[in-house]
Amino acid sequence: MAQKGDEFLFIDRIKNLFADIDNKECKGIGDDCATIPISPDSSLVVTSDMLNEGVHFIRSAIPAFDLGYKSLAVNLSDIAAMGAEPIASFLSIGFSKEIPALWRDEFMAGYHSLSKEFGVALLGGDTTSTTGGISINVTAIGRAKSSHIKLRSAANIGQDIYVSGTLGDSGVGLQMILNGRWHQREMIDAHHRPRPYVNEGVWLGEREEVGAMIDISDGVASDLRHILRLSGVGAIIDNIPTSQIMDRACKEYNLNREHLALSAGEDYRLLFTVDREQSEQLADSYKKQFGYAPYKIGHITAGNELLLVDTPLDYFGYIHD
Ligand code: ADP
Ligand code: MG
């Protein structure tokens, strides 16, 4: 696709085309994962993501191990964003002929290390060749009590908006990679090895005071807008949490901190809304549980606008379809 906008129009057309087929209680197309009820009170959630060489990654810039890790991480992040626990994945991969066996093994070692960390079985996939470049498709499956599943459409006016970590580290990391500043390890690692918030996602799923949830793949400027559109609400962002190391890099290289934090994407933090009366208490118990606090970035309002303090936000997230 040429642009993210085109991609969304295409997905809408796909959804309309398939509206004539009974979905048999399943829900799909439009959230981080599809949901498939498997018993009166539990569901499977399923997500699928594709990474193409030259579009989503530059092979010479990312170690094979990290790419294997990241290919699964972005899918576990979508499972977490539903409030579900990951159980298994499928991996389909197309290699061009010049990819050495060692590269393939390193890729799988990275994929395995994250699978092992969260006990996610690899249940199948496909291995094939391409006429050029590497193409990776991962499908991940999770499960949750149906009442714990957090949808993008569940934000309510007055709720506070939180993110599970600082914003923009990955985007600055990408800038460092593109400019060959390899000594900026921490931010480059944030870009290459995004940590999926697996345990946090399950924990947040269990909390009734949590409304909508999404993971930040394209940047808050795009991903929060998905919540606003599907929930029929607006939002004000009044705090943009960034790491000290990101702040320093932005000063040193004259980068736009706010713009990168809200639109560069690939942070894979969880963004979630919480009933205002319980939000401080939730942030406290989150901190007790995980050893760090989530960041409040704003709140949900009536209407449909996204404001940065008092000005409409006039840009979107990263276009990397
Ligand atoms: P995310 O960033 O959370 O992975 P995307 O923006 O990639 O979500 O996709 C938005 C929604 O559209 C998801 O529910 C996804 O499953 C669905 N979708 C994307 N491409 C297709 C496709 N080719 N066919 C069916 N559904 C699709
Ligand atoms: Mg997502």
Side-chain angles (χ1 to χ4, degrees):
M1 293 299 122
Q3 288 181 2
K4 201 80 191 174
D6 290 350
E7 181 193 317
F8 289 135
L9 289 176
F10 180 62
I11 294 171
D12 273 349
R13 285 209 301 280
I14 294 177
K15 196 170 172 167
N16 290 336
L17 179 64
F18 281 77
D20 61 346
I21 301 178
D22 179 16
N23 64 16
K24 303 176 187 72
E25 310 292 312
C26 304
K27 290 206 184 88
I29 311 191
D31 220 303
D32 293 292
C33 294
T35 58
I36 304 173
I38 49 166
S39 77
D41 66 352
S42 67
S43 296
L44 291 180
V45 302
V46 183
T47 182
S48 194
D49 259 297
M50 188 148 191
L51 296 174
N52 287 324
E53 181 173 347
V55 180
H56 302 98
F57 64 92
I58 304 160
R59 182 161 28 112
S60 58
I62 183 165
F65 185 98
D66 289 1
L67 186 62
Y69 177 102
K70 185 170 182 175
S71 302
L72 180 62
V74 302
N75 284 275
L76 297 192
S77 178
D78 276 324
I79 301 270
M82 302 299 286
E85 171 203 14
I87 51 178
S89 78
F90 290 77
L91 167 65
S92 295
I93 183 151
F95 292 115
S96 51
K97 289 205 174 53
E98 80 270 14
I99 309 295
L102 186 63
W103 193 100
R104 298 173 192 216
D105 289 346
E106 274 294 299
F107 175 90
M108 286 317 304
Y111 194 98
H112 174 263
S113 83
L114 186 62
S115 304
K116 176 103 177 157
E117 185 177 344
F118 292 112
V120 180
L122 177 60
L123 293 186
D126 198 11
T127 304
T128 166
S129 55
T130 70
T131 50
I134 298 169
S135 191
I136 302 153
N137 176 248
V138 176
T139 298
I141 301 172
R143 75 177 151 215
K145 266 183 127 173
S146 304
S147 58
H148 291 175
I149 288 177
K150 301 299 181 192
L151 302 176
R152 295 177 176 181
S153 55
N156 285 317
I157 298 168
Q159 285 181 325
D160 287 328
I161 306 168
Y162 283 84
V163 290
S164 62
T166 54
L167 303 173
D169 302 86
S170 173
V172 175
L174 177 61
Q175 291 305 312
M176 299 301 110
I177 293 164
L178 295 175
N179 291 290
R181 298 183 176 121
W182 299 108
H183 60 288
Q184 297 285 0
R185 278 287 15 130
E186 227 165 300
M187 281 170 300
I188 291 175
D189 283 350
H191 188 69
H192 283 167
R193 303 271 302 260
R195 181 172 99 75
Y197 286 82
V198 172
N199 298 326
E200 290 86 342
V202 171
W203 188 87
L204 290 164
E206 290 164 357
R207 309 255 101 62
E208 270 181 23
E209 61 271 36
V210 174
M213 184 147 67
I214 190 168
D215 69 321
I216 305 172
S217 52
D218 297 335
V220 170
S222 274
D223 294 320
L224 177 55
R225 276 192 173 97
H226 292 315
I227 286 185
L228 303 188
R229 184 169 39 85
L230 292 168
S231 302
V233 292
I236 295 178
I237 298 173
D238 53 20
N239 176 40
I240 302 175
T242 50
S243 63
Q244 285 181 356
I245 186 153
M246 144 121 182
D247 295 348
R248 254 184 273 128
C250 287
K251 282 207 185 94
E252 190 176 344
Y253 303 116
N254 200 21
L255 300 169
N256 186 329
R257 185 192 83 97
E258 172 212 298
H259 195 270
L260 277 168
L262 295 182
S263 75
E266 297 219 67
D267 283 317
Y268 297 104
R269 311 299 193 196
L270 294 176
L271 182 152
F272 53 95
T273 66
V274 190
D275 292 343
R276 185 178 289 167
E277 305 72 48
Q278 283 130 293
S279 88
E280 269 178 37
Q281 207 191 335
L282 178 119
D284 278 352
S285 9
Y286 182 111
K287 186 170 179 197
K288 281 201 191 93
Q289 182 74 20
F290 299 109
Y292 68 92
Y295 298 92
K296 185 155 104 181
I297 63 166
H299 62 273
I300 299 291
T301 60
N304 57 10
E305 261 192 324
L306 177 55
L307 303 182
L308 181 54
V309 188
D310 49 11
T311 316
L313 195 71
D314 59 1
Y315 54 85
F316 288 81
Y318 186 58
I319 295 163
H320 58 75
D321 53 6

